[in-house]
């Protein structure tokens, strides 16, 4: 994951996992899966983040006081304008179909990954190996 | 001059076992009866660390998983289908082969355990895209309940064999669509029907026991799926997963393989492209649609009009109708005054009718799908009626009580 040094200012630093076992467990078992889900959903809606190779928008960070937070990639002005247009497209689509946020009673768990198994772990489009000819 | 196959070897390498390449080859042969020179099989690695072979053809995608090694790349390597067939020949008599690239010549190189080599030009102008991901999730997941069936592979094979049972004597025009299968998962049963009535034969229905959670029905083009299922080992179970009634795909998943099949309706496969073509022939371009599924309706505009719709509808007797629709006005509540005005309008229309549904006033031209060869006349009737009704949105609400 490519991290910008501090997208929100000096109070935020990329997460350093050299912490306690409990913290590492929390990161690995709880927070990182959430970040991956968030990135998957953001990439589905917004496309890959143009500012890094992974295409991820969000990463795990923590404040100086030790609180875990979600950081977002810094984007260039040009990319920001594209993002703005993308949000407008999304708004129009949602407005057209009058989508309301699902209530908790409507929520259905996503069983797909547990059924599909290893193949579902390929969640992001990998880069394509291209032909290189160096003469 | 003898080529040096080991020169400029990539820093990654894929060690392929005989069983693995056999699985890939059988799957590929089942999906594509003829190897296509410009098509590729993808090999990559998932987050779980498993190696994934991915084969996709129009409505079907199939994958084979295998243990990866630390030398496996995480990118997606395209391998020409033709090369897979040759690797099968090459691996005979050995335990496996190593695959790598010559990063100067731009070739993919295979090396067998007995020291033989084979190389092929690295494919160009191919890109792994989102549709090549085996599992695509379901944007409609929150709205309906998924269904899962666990079925023994012996029963899955029986299901697959039935899909291939063509009634003897069946003959159809070369461009006709072969029957789709309708499956149902419910009450610890996988049931299916193949409907050959269009080919002057009968419906065939069967079922096998299954362990089901949830209930669902779905239809899809079954022949490639059946061919792949018949290549699989028969000593374990497979899962069938459909993520709700609006799901785009059904998944058939075994221990080290899986199939994703696009859910579509047979009548749409038969008629959608013909309707689009006939509309184009009379100067009407339908808008593009995003889904991989064949849409039951499409949008278009006529002379800068509001959005119009063209849709296909299958009736109980298997007949199909085409419907051209325009929404003339919305938010018009039912009232005697409104219905009276609609009746007056209908008296003046030729080949079209206006109706009130769900507070929407709709203009509709509907005709049997066999009439698409006369699409010009239907579009003309629709256009004329649309012109006659152009003020409906302004005056009809006035008659609402």
């Amino acid at each position: 994951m490519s991290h910008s040094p501090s997208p929100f200012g000096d109070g935020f630093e990329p997460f350093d996992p050299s912490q306690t076992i409990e913290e590492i467990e929390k990161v690995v078992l709880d927070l990182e899966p959430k970040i991956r889900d968030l990135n998957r959903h953001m990439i589905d809606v917004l496309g890959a983040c143009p500012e890094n190779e992974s295409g991820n928008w969000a990463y795990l960070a923590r404040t100086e006081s030790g609180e875990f937070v979600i950081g977002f990639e810094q984007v260039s002005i040009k990319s920001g304008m594209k993002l703005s247009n993308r949000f407008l497209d999304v708004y129009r689509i949602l407005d057209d179909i009058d989508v309301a946020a699902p209530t908790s009673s409507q929520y259905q768990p996503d069983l797909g990954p547990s059924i599909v198994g290893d193949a579902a772990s390929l969640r992001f489009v990998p880069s394509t190996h291209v032909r290189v000819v160096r003469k | 001059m003898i080529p040096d196959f080991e020169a400029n070897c990539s820093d990654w390498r894929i060690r392929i076992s005989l069983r693995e390449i056999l699985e890939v080859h059988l799957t590929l042969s089942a999906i594509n009866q003829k190897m296509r020179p410009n098509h590729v099989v993808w090999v990559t690695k998932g987050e779980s660390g498993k190696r994934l072979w991915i084969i996709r053809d129009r409505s079907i995608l199939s994958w084979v998983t295998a243990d990866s090694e630390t030398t496996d790349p995480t990118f997606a390597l395209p391998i020409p289908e033709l090369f897979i067939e040759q690797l099968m020949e090459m691996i005979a008599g050995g335990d496996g082969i190593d695959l790598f690239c010559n990063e100067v010549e731009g070739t993919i190189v295979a090396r067998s355990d007995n020291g033989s080599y084979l190389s092929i030009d690295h494919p160009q102008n191919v890109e792994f895209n989102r549709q090549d991901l085996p599992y695509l999730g379901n944007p409609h997941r929150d709205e309906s309940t998924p269904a899962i069936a666990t079925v023994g592979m012996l029963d899955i094979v029986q299901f697959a064999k039935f899909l291939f049972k063509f009634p003897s004597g069946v003959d159809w025009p070369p461009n006709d669509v072969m029957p789709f299968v309708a499956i149902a998962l419910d009450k610890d049963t996988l049931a299916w029907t193949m409907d050959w009535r269009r080919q002057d034969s009968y419906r065939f229905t069967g079922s096998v026991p299954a362990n089901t959670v949830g209930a669902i029905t779905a239809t899809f083009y079954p022949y490639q799926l059946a061919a792949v299922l018949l290549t699989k080992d028969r000593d374990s179970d497979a899962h069938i997963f459909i993520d709700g009634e609006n799901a785009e795909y059904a998944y058939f998943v075994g221990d080290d393989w899986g199939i994703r099949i696009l859910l579509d309706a047979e009548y749409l496969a038969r008629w959608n492209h013909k309707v689009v073509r006939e509309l184009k022939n009379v100067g009407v371009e339908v808008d593009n649609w995003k889904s991989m599924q064949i849409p039951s309706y499409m949008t278009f505009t006529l002379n800068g009009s509001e959005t119009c719709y063209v849709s296909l509808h299958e009736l109980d007797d298997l007949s199909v109708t085409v419907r051209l629709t325009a929404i003339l006005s919305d938010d018009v509540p039912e009232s005697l005054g409104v219905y009276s005005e609609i009746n007056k309008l209908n008296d003046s229309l030729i080949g079209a009718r206006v109706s009130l549904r769900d507070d929407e006033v709709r203009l509709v031209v509907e005709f049997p799908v066999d009439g698409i060869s006369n699409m010009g006349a239907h579009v003309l009737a629709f256009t004329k009626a649309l012109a006659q009704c152009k003020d409906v949105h302004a005056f009809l609400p006035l008659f609402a009580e």
Side-chain angles (χ1 to χ4, degrees):
Chain A
M1 190 182 296
S2 166
H3 294 163
S4 303
S6 179
F8 296 130
D10 292 336
F12 295 82
E13 293 296 332
F15 172 62
D16 175 7
S18 60
Q19 302 295 323
T20 65
I21 296 294
E22 290 77 13
E23 282 181 329
I24 291 171
E25 276 185 357
K26 180 179 173 59
V27 168
V28 171
L29 299 178
D30 181 32
L31 299 179
E32 285 187 344
K34 286 176 177 166
I35 299 283
R36 282 200 293 272
D37 275 353
L38 175 60
N39 274 312
R40 182 160 60 91
H41 297 319
M42 290 187 77
I43 289 172
D44 281 349
V45 175
L46 303 175
C49 175
E51 307 296 337
N52 61 58
E53 285 185 3
S54 70
N56 288 337
W57 292 93
Y59 57 86
L60 187 60
R62 68 191 314 180
T63 63
E64 283 180 341
S65 62
E67 183 187 1
F68 286 111
V69 293
I70 296 171
F72 292 93
E73 288 286 350
Q74 296 181 82
V75 296
S76 65
I77 299 295
K78 187 177 174 185
S79 295
M81 292 301 99
K82 284 183 182 172
L83 203 55
S84 175
N85 288 332
R86 183 64 181 163
F87 278 125
L88 189 59
D89 290 341
V90 172
Y91 168 75
R92 284 175 178 147
I93 292 166
L94 294 178
D95 197 40
D96 277 352
I97 58 178
D98 193 22
V99 169
T103 64
S104 57
S105 63
Q106 290 175 298
Y107 178 75
Q108 300 286 348
D110 185 0
L111 297 174
S114 62
I115 302 292
V116 172
D118 290 315
S121 76
L122 186 66
R123 294 190 294 179
F124 305 110
V125 175
S127 59
T128 301
H129 190 263
V130 294
R131 185 183 188 200
V132 178
V133 180
R134 300 192 188 96
K135 291 289 183 185
Chain B
M1 179 181 171
I2 301 295
D4 181 2
F5 288 100
E6 295 283 349
N8 309 304
C9 173
S10 54
D11 56 6
W12 53 267
R13 176 178 61 86
I14 303 172
R15 174 71 179 172
I16 307 170
S17 70
L18 172 62
R19 179 179 171 78
E20 181 180 355
I21 199 68
L22 180 63
E23 286 269 345
V24 174
H25 182 255
L26 287 174
T27 303
L28 186 58
S29 303
I31 288 178
N32 305 313
Q33 298 301 315
K34 287 182 179 177
M35 298 299 151
R36 301 161 301 180
N38 56 343
H39 282 240
V40 301
V41 171
W42 294 102
V43 60
T44 186
K45 190 158 77 170
E47 285 178 27
S48 69
K50 284 280 187 177
R51 183 183 299 159
L52 279 167
W53 295 82
I54 299 167
I55 301 137
R56 183 163 74 94
D57 181 56
R58 291 173 294 183
S59 61
I60 190 170
L61 178 147
S62 185
W63 69 85
V64 171
T65 58
D67 291 333
S68 67
E69 298 186 4
T70 54
T71 54
D72 267 44
T74 54
F75 53 73
L77 177 70
I79 302 176
E81 288 183 357
L82 295 168
F83 200 49
I84 298 290
E85 198 167 24
Q86 291 170 326
L87 293 182
M88 273 298 299
E89 300 288 335
M90 189 181 182
I91 204 170
D95 290 334
I97 46 179
D98 293 307
L99 208 64
F100 49 89
C101 268
N102 182 324
E103 301 280 19
V104 170
E105 299 291 337
T107 55
I108 299 172
V109 181
R111 176 184 57 211
S112 75
D113 288 348
N114 64 12
S116 62
Y117 289 90
L118 197 62
S119 82
I120 190 169
D121 285 343
H122 190 298
Q124 298 187 75
N125 304 320
V126 291
E127 186 171 9
F128 191 103
N129 62 48
R130 188 172 179 278
Q131 280 300 319
D132 295 310
L133 293 175
Y135 180 65
L136 293 173
N138 179 9
H140 308 293
R141 177 162 47 84
D142 292 328
E143 298 163 16
S144 58
T145 310
I148 305 164
T150 305
V151 189
M153 276 306 294
L154 282 173
D155 290 324
I156 284 277
V157 166
Q158 186 182 343
F159 164 64
K161 284 181 176 174
F162 270 101
L163 298 181
F164 270 138
K165 276 202 186 306
F166 295 8
S168 60
V170 161
D171 192 18
W172 56 82
N175 294 325
D176 200 4
V177 174
M178 291 165 70
F180 282 32
V181 65
I183 67 166
L185 310 179
D186 193 11
K187 297 177 181 170
D188 286 338
T189 300
L190 159 63
W192 65 89
T193 294
M194 293 287 287
D195 189 343
W196 293 89
R197 285 179 294 172
R198 278 198 299 116
Q199 286 75 27
D200 296 327
S201 187
Y202 303 99
R203 280 177 292 184
F204 292 74
T205 298
S207 76
V208 291
N211 188 355
T212 59
V213 178
I216 208 157
T217 59
T219 62
F220 53 86
Y221 184 79
Y223 305 98
Q224 290 168 303
L225 172 113
V228 177
L229 290 175
L230 289 173
T231 69
K232 301 304 178 189
D233 287 344
R234 301 171 185 189
D235 55 359
S236 58
D237 292 338
H239 300 291
I240 304 172
F241 172 63
I242 302 177
D243 202 356
E245 61 188 19
N246 296 314
E248 280 190 288
Y249 298 98
Y251 294 87
F252 290 70
V253 184
D255 291 338
D256 57 1
W257 57 269
I259 302 165
R260 187 189 81 201
I261 187 85
L262 187 66
L263 302 177
D264 262 322
E266 181 183 328
Y267 76 98
L268 295 176
R270 290 174 60 208
W271 293 110
N272 178 280
H273 65 288
K274 293 177 183 173
V275 167
V276 170
R277 184 185 62 208
E278 293 298 334
L279 281 169
K280 188 174 184 179
N281 286 345
V282 298
V284 177
E285 292 272 5
V286 300
D287 301 325
N288 292 328
W289 59 89
K290 287 183 179 175
S291 168
M292 293 297 289
Q293 288 177 300
I294 304 168
S296 59
Y297 74 89
M298 297 163 289
T299 58
F300 65 91
T301 53
L302 277 176
N303 306 321
S305 69
E306 294 292 314
T307 299
C308 302
Y309 304 85
V310 55
S311 52
L312 284 156
H313 304 268
E314 188 177 46
L315 309 179
D316 289 342
D317 62 356
L318 294 185
S319 63
V320 178
T321 61
V322 181
R323 190 180 295 165
L324 306 175
T325 304
I327 309 294
L328 301 175
S329 184
D330 54 16
D331 201 18
V332 179
E334 288 184 49
S335 76
L336 283 177
V338 166
Y339 280 124
S340 174
E341 288 305 308
I342 286 176
N343 286 342
K344 284 182 195 170
L345 261 177
N346 281 330
D347 285 343
S348 66
L349 295 175
I350 298 172
R353 61 184 163 81
V354 172
S355 61
L356 178 65
R357 282 185 61 185
D358 302 331
D359 290 349
E360 285 181 348
V361 181
R362 302 179 184 183
L363 172 69
V364 169
V365 167
E366 187 163 0
F367 51 95
V369 74
D370 293 335
I372 57 172
S373 55
N374 202 20
M375 185 65 88
H378 298 299
V379 170
L380 185 61
F382 186 69
T383 309
K384 282 184 175 176
L386 205 54
Q388 283 179 260
C389 297
K390 64 179 170 43
D391 296 326
V392 160
H393 70 281
F395 78 81
L396 211 47
L398 301 177
F399 292 89
E401 291 167 351

